[in-house]
Amino acid sequence: MDKFTKISSVAAPLPMINVDTDMIIPKQYLKTIKRTGLGKYAFAEMRYNEDGSENPDFVLNKPAYRNAQILIAGDNFGCGSSREHAPWALLDQGIRVVIAPSFADIFYGNCFKNGILPIKLPQEIVDKLMEDAERGANAIVTVDLENREITGPDGGKVTFEVDSFRQHCLLNGLDDIGLTLEKSEKIDTFEAQQKASQPWLYGA
């Protein structure tokens, strides 16, 4: 998992409430178990017309937001089914931060496990960031995870809360496997002791 320290990017405004995981990545794209390749299907039903052409009105199809790494969203983002493909699709699309007033719990946890920082902020602050984002390519937002701080395009700063353990994992690029590998020396020691004391478990 890539480390997350600081992101400076245009923020894409998605002023919709109750965006569920089926809207983020429709069910027909859930057959893969790979984490890559899903970005082009993120928000597919809003992003593309029936003939497969791009919907020019959808935010991520607009030139100013095609490379956005920050998404400003409405309340209850990521509700619905628990599919981990949703954060996979966002990450493959290039989104590293989602800011909203609230998130569905499972989606919120899955974001951290996949290198995305979900930030909960009061509605009035999200509204202000949404207004900033709607200004387009000149409105750069910076998210500093180490200092838990967001800097808006006009220089205003907002602090946010994040669990210290989850912050540590993102800063160091540690998913569940990475956390386990941090204990590899202790695991090797245990395995050696186990093999010496109970060799029959190892076919000896």
Side-chain angles (χ1 to χ4, degrees):
M1 190 168 80
D2 291 338
K3 295 180 180 181
F4 186 117
T5 52
K6 183 185 292 186
I7 294 289
S8 290
S9 169
V10 167
L14 189 67
M16 298 173 62
I17 64 171
N18 302 321
V19 173
D20 64 27
T21 52
D22 191 55
M23 294 172 70
I24 297 171
I25 183 69
K27 59 185 179 299
Q28 60 266 36
Y29 303 113
L30 303 185
K31 296 177 182 178
T32 182
I33 58 172
K34 295 180 180 179
R35 299 188 183 196
T36 57
L38 289 172
K40 60 186 175 182
Y41 305 123
F43 304 106
E45 292 179 357
M46 293 186 286
R47 193 172 181 178
Y48 302 108
N49 298 314
E50 289 186 5
D51 63 0
S53 62
E54 288 189 350
N55 172 9
D57 295 326
F58 183 66
V59 63
L60 295 179
N61 291 337
K62 296 179 179 180
Y65 303 110
R66 282 187 179 273
N67 297 315
Q69 294 180 277
I70 301 170
L71 185 67
I72 314 293
D75 199 31
N76 197 30
F77 190 84
C79 57
S81 69
S82 60
R83 63 191 69 171
E84 197 168 4
H85 293 68
W88 291 357
L90 290 175
L91 187 65
D92 197 58
Q93 167 63 32
I95 301 296
R96 296 299 307 276
V97 180
V98 182
I99 300 172
S102 68
F103 295 87
D105 288 343
I106 294 175
F107 174 83
Y108 184 78
N110 282 339
C111 281
F112 285 104
K113 293 180 179 180
N114 289 281
I116 296 174
L117 173 61
I119 299 175
K120 299 177 186 178
L121 289 174
Q123 184 68 59
E124 60 271 19
I125 296 178
V126 174
D127 289 343
K128 176 61 170 65
L129 290 170
M130 193 80 72
E131 289 178 8
D132 289 340
E134 288 171 352
R135 289 158 53 184
N138 294 322
I140 301 298
V141 175
T142 298
V143 178
D144 182 343
L145 176 58
E146 188 169 10
N147 294 307
R148 304 182 181 188
E149 189 173 72
I150 299 170
T151 304
D154 297 324
K157 296 183 184 297
V158 175
T159 57
F160 60 89
E161 296 182 4
V162 60
D163 176 80
S164 295
F165 174 72
R166 285 171 162 166
Q167 180 185 26
H168 167 79
C169 290
L170 279 180
L171 286 170
N172 293 280
L174 298 172
D175 56 11
D176 289 345
I177 294 174
L179 285 167
T180 300
L181 291 176
E182 279 195 318
K183 306 288 192 301
S184 60
E185 187 174 332
K186 291 183 179 180
I187 293 171
D188 291 342
T189 299
F190 173 82
E191 287 289 329
Q193 293 172 344
Q194 189 82 349
K195 188 172 184 179
S197 63
Q198 298 177 307
W200 58 88
L201 294 177
Y202 296 82

